[in-house]
Amino acid sequence: MSSAPKIHRGNSVPISNDQLAALIDAHPKPSAISNYSYGTAGFRYEASLLPCVFVRMGIFAALRSASLGGEEVGVMITASHNPEPDNGMKIADSNGGMLDAAWEKHAVSLANAPTPKQALVLIDTLSKYALGRHPLAQGNPAKLPKMVVHVGRDTRSHSPPLANLVIRAALAMGATVIDHGEVSTPMLHHFVMHANGHLLPSIIPQRCNESGYYEIMALSYAALLRTGKLDGVGGKRLAHTKELVIDGACGIGALKIDTFRKIFDKLNAEGCTYGLPVLCTMNFPGEGPLNENCGAEYVQKQQLPPKLYSPEPKMLGLSKGYMTSFDGDADRVVFHFEDTQGKFHLLDGDKIAVLVSSFIQEELRCIDPNGQAVKCGVVQTAYANGSSTLYLKNVVKTNVVIAKTGVKFVHAAAHHHFDVGVYFEANGHGTVLFGPKFYDFIAAADARLRGTPRNNRANIALRRLRLLPALVNQSVGDAMSDMLLVDAILFLRGWDLNTWAQLYSDMPTRQAKVKVADRTVITTNDNETAAVSPVALQKALQSAMDAMAVEENSVDGPKPRCFVRPSGTEDAVRVYAEANTQSGADSLASEAMMLIYKLCGGVGSPPQPFISNRL
């Protein structure tokens, strides 16, 4: 079912500076790169450009562990939803989340040090910092705190040699390396979070390896389904949701979800579970190009069904009424289906956020009708569809915070603002974070409800809420965890995807980008919903939005909206527009593109407007 990780013990004494310099010099910085940048989730480039970074980040990860007093950290080798020729690295901090923002700058400085000598200066600085945090070790490198680095990789052909560079460098520093081999990104984050067990809430069982990951999720999920027997509301597996078809993006997720399939098949055969679907996995590694015309990124951005590369017999007799798509490293998931007329329908991260947050708040209110004990909310970005935001505020009646684009920003905002914080970017990356007040609430409810009937609605809610922190991967978005969570909610409500889709209708949108001479001329406010400079830009955009609102007679419903933001990787400005009609969104985006071209130093020919028929 899963293989045990390989444990490598590092040097008892770190290697000399000369040896370290030779290791770094063996993998010089390529001339094609002026500066490596650390994106939302780490370094990501064409694979041949990365050996330099991977050696240095193996060293860096060991030092990060030392600086935390030996708490275990992780390195995941993946380029997520990017094409197969690309690769990259995500660093997991000891809490299982992404690298602390204050340490990103150290990672970037080390990756970009022009020479081994300059890299050694930075390594020495970080080493002294680690020693300074632990005075008993000062002046004696052999007394550095223990260092433990977990390493995982996706299915790309160049991931094994890149992983070996990380392992070799971390071992040279004296770290212990736990090599998990091929795993999904969220699995690696889960291993790190659980390895530092003192950081886990007591309600979550500690499971540090792959078999434990499957166990904790499968059992929590099955137990959540079983609560459907108690309330008599949902808890029925509809005929067209008995088989869940999963597009694995020809990546690691297909391999790992297949293990869940085997677990569920066995449990169903034994007759000891309740309501488990048959998981039908498609698009395994090697059956098609990674992420090409399939996977969550393609399905969500193109709003098209995935190409199914798996041999045809695997699809015979299966319905397309209940489907999901993962991305290449299985940290994103979107749902989709074809109706009886063959029309494609997408349920993206916005729809997931609405479903999950409404379910959690409904269960909380069964215990606390006034909703005062636990502060719940949803974090969105400016890219969230306006209809979802209005639904959350007006129907779910939950708090909504808009954060800067990027999972590290929405994750931090969910921690900061809420006791139960839900976030899902439109691309399907998201999770639920449970804070200390939530666990206190559960403990108090457990004491108060002890001895009451099992089918008491408050007791059912308590059982469900107790299961969620184990089922949900709180360290990072997890396609497998999120898929099981959504399926359980649909099952408990007796819904299919069409019922879920009908909660609200998305506003039509249009996205584009405009090339400019220098993207730094554009700055935005903190959550990127408005341009700050050039000063004239936001005023002109607002006039365009106001004019579109009048044209579409947007009085009571969602208002037309448009924002622009500089690209993080190229001299271009990204445009997002939404309106009550597709022609309105197209027109608003076209006007924004022309404003950027005129006011922000557009290059090349003027952007061509989007053409659509006015209805």
Side-chain angles (χ1 to χ4, degrees):
M1 192 176 297
S2 59
S3 56
K6 298 177 182 177
I7 300 177
H8 307 274
R9 306 292 179 185
N11 301 327
S12 58
V13 177
I15 62 176
S16 68
N17 279 353
D18 287 344
Q19 292 172 306
L20 200 56
L23 178 60
I24 295 170
D25 196 37
H27 303 279
K29 185 178 176 183
S31 58
I33 294 288
S34 55
N35 274 301
Y36 291 105
S37 61
Y38 196 98
T40 301
F43 298 101
R44 193 173 299 175
Y45 293 89
E46 196 275 322
S48 65
L49 301 174
L50 287 169
C52 165
V53 174
F54 278 56
V55 168
R56 298 176 188 210
M57 290 305 102
I59 296 168
F60 176 86
L63 290 171
R64 178 57 178 156
S65 177
S67 75
L68 295 169
E71 288 184 356
E72 303 179 25
V73 302
V75 175
M76 180 66 196
I77 290 83
T78 182
S80 190
H81 55 275
N82 281 36
E84 204 279 337
D86 292 346
N87 216 318
M89 160 187 299
K90 300 178 181 181
I91 298 176
D93 240 337
S94 59
N95 60 4
M98 286 170 286
L99 178 65
D100 186 279
W103 273 71
E104 283 185 17
K105 61 183 180 182
H106 301 314
V108 171
S109 295
L110 183 55
N112 287 307
T115 66
K117 183 176 181 180
Q118 289 166 298
L120 287 177
V121 171
L122 293 170
I123 292 167
D124 184 60
T125 300
L126 292 176
S127 297
K128 287 177 178 175
Y129 173 80
L131 290 168
R133 299 267 292 174
H134 309 281
L136 292 177
Q138 287 186 27
N140 186 353
K143 294 294 184 180
L144 267 171
K146 74 168 185 174
M147 297 171 279
V148 182
V149 179
H150 294 254
V151 177
R153 53 183 167 83
D154 68 12
T155 56
R156 296 165 200 265
S157 59
H158 30 75
S159 288
L162 290 172
N164 288 337
L165 292 177
V166 173
I167 293 170
R168 182 182 172 194
L171 290 174
M173 292 298 294
T176 294
V177 175
I178 302 175
D179 179 11
H180 294 274
E182 286 187 347
V183 293
S184 70
T185 291
M187 290 173 74
L188 189 278
H189 283 262
H190 170 98
F191 301 151
V192 173
M193 178 175 68
H194 281 251
N196 297 291
H198 61 288
L199 300 176
L200 275 180
S202 59
I203 200 172
I204 303 177
Q206 186 179 7
R207 300 290 185 270
C208 303
N209 55 26
E210 190 170 341
S211 60
Y213 169 89
Y214 297 125
E215 174 194 339
I216 192 174
M217 286 192 183
L219 294 181
S220 300
Y221 165 68
L224 186 57
L225 294 182
R226 282 196 294 272
T227 66
K229 288 182 175 180
L230 301 174
D231 68 359
V233 177
K236 292 183 179 179
R237 180 67 62 185
L238 301 178
H240 49 290
T241 65
K242 288 182 178 178
E243 293 174 333
L244 176 52
V245 180
I246 302 157
D247 156 29
C250 301
I252 187 67
L255 295 178
K256 300 307 179 182
I257 202 66
D258 211 42
T259 302
F260 274 116
R261 180 186 63 78
K262 293 170 184 174
I263 294 173
F264 292 173
D265 287 350
K266 181 180 178 183
L267 292 174
N268 275 325
E270 293 172 351
C272 61
T273 61
Y274 180 71
L276 292 171
V278 176
L279 302 180
C280 307
T281 315
M282 311 287 286
N283 291 352
F284 284 82
E287 291 186 336
L290 181 67
N291 294 315
E292 188 173 307
N293 297 323
C294 63
E297 176 75 1
Y298 171 81
V299 171
Q300 188 262 331
K301 291 292 189 296
Q302 302 301 319
Q303 299 197 24
L304 292 170
K307 181 174 180 179
L308 297 177
Y309 293 97
S310 294
E312 189 64 27
K314 290 187 179 179
M315 197 63 195
L316 290 179
L318 297 179
S319 167
K320 292 186 179 180
Y322 193 30
M323 299 184 68
T324 68
S325 287
F326 294 179
D327 67 333
D329 68 334
D331 64 358
R332 298 181 182 185
V333 64
V334 295
F335 288 73
H336 47 92
F337 68 99
E338 292 182 13
D339 62 24
T340 53
Q341 284 74 46
K343 183 181 178 182
F344 174 77
H345 298 267
L346 170 69
L347 296 108
D348 62 6
D350 293 339
K351 280 284 199 320
I352 296 173
V354 165
L355 181 74
V356 171
S357 62
S358 63
F359 172 76
I360 291 174
Q361 292 211 155
E362 180 181 320
E363 299 305 313
L364 284 167
R365 286 171 183 150
C366 289
I367 303 173
D368 174 32
N370 295 322
Q372 300 298 313
V374 176
K375 185 178 181 181
C376 299
V378 177
V379 180
Q380 296 187 311
T381 71
Y383 285 100
N385 195 278
S387 292
S388 72
T389 307
L390 284 179
Y391 189 91
L392 287 165
K393 290 179 177 179
N394 298 336
V395 180
V396 180
K397 298 189 183 304
T398 193
N399 304 288
V400 178
V401 169
I402 305 299
K404 186 176 180 179
T405 303
V407 67
K408 65 185 176 185
F409 301 112
V410 292
H411 192 94
H415 261 306
H416 177 72
H417 290 283
F418 304 120
D419 303 318
V420 179
V422 177
Y423 74 82
F424 281 88
E425 294 184 297
N427 60 32
H429 187 288
T431 190
V432 185
L433 303 181
F434 300 95
K437 281 190 177 180
F438 171 83
Y439 297 110
D440 291 343
F441 172 82
I442 292 298
D446 185 58
R448 179 165 56 85
L449 294 170
R450 196 167 297 150
T452 59
R454 284 181 79 233
N455 61 352
N456 175 291
R457 186 61 181 89
N459 235 330
I460 297 170
L462 176 61
R463 286 163 64 97
R464 291 173 176 173
L465 292 169
R466 283 183 62 88
L467 291 166
L468 293 184
L471 173 59
V472 174
N473 188 340
Q474 296 181 63
S475 60
V476 72
D478 185 333
M480 288 182 276
S481 166
D482 294 336
M483 181 190 74
L484 297 176
L485 173 63
V486 167
D487 178 77
I489 295 172
L490 294 175
F491 175 78
L492 294 174
R493 287 185 166 177
W495 288 5
D496 60 9
L497 293 193
N498 186 56
T499 307
W500 175 20
Q502 296 306 312
L503 292 180
Y504 65 87
S505 297
D506 282 326
M507 293 182 73
T509 65
R510 176 65 70 183
Q511 295 189 48
K513 69 177 180 180
V514 180
K515 291 187 177 181
V516 293
D518 179 9
R519 67 182 184 272
T520 63
V521 299
I522 291 188
T523 59
T524 68
N525 61 354
D526 286 345
N527 61 19
E528 301 177 325
T529 56
V532 174
S533 64
V535 175
L537 179 59
Q538 186 59 37
K539 185 176 180 180
L541 288 172
Q542 189 60 54
S543 295
M545 288 184 272
D546 293 342
M548 184 57 64
V550 172
E551 182 177 338
E552 294 191 333
N553 193 25
S554 304
V555 179
D556 298 322
K559 301 293 191 293
R561 182 169 66 95
C562 181
F563 70 90
V564 302
R565 54 185 283 266
S567 168
T569 57
E570 58 182 321
D571 278 322
V573 180
R574 302 193 182 278
V575 175
Y576 177 92
E578 64 181 29
N580 289 293
T581 62
Q582 187 60 57
S583 59
D586 290 346
S587 177
L588 195 52
S590 298
E591 189 164 352
M593 292 164 66
M594 187 55 69
L595 287 170
I596 292 166
Y597 184 82
K598 292 178 178 178
L599 299 176
C600 306
V603 298
S605 301
Q608 295 298 305
F610 293 103
I611 305 297
S612 58
N613 295 321
R614 291 261 174 199
L615 299 177

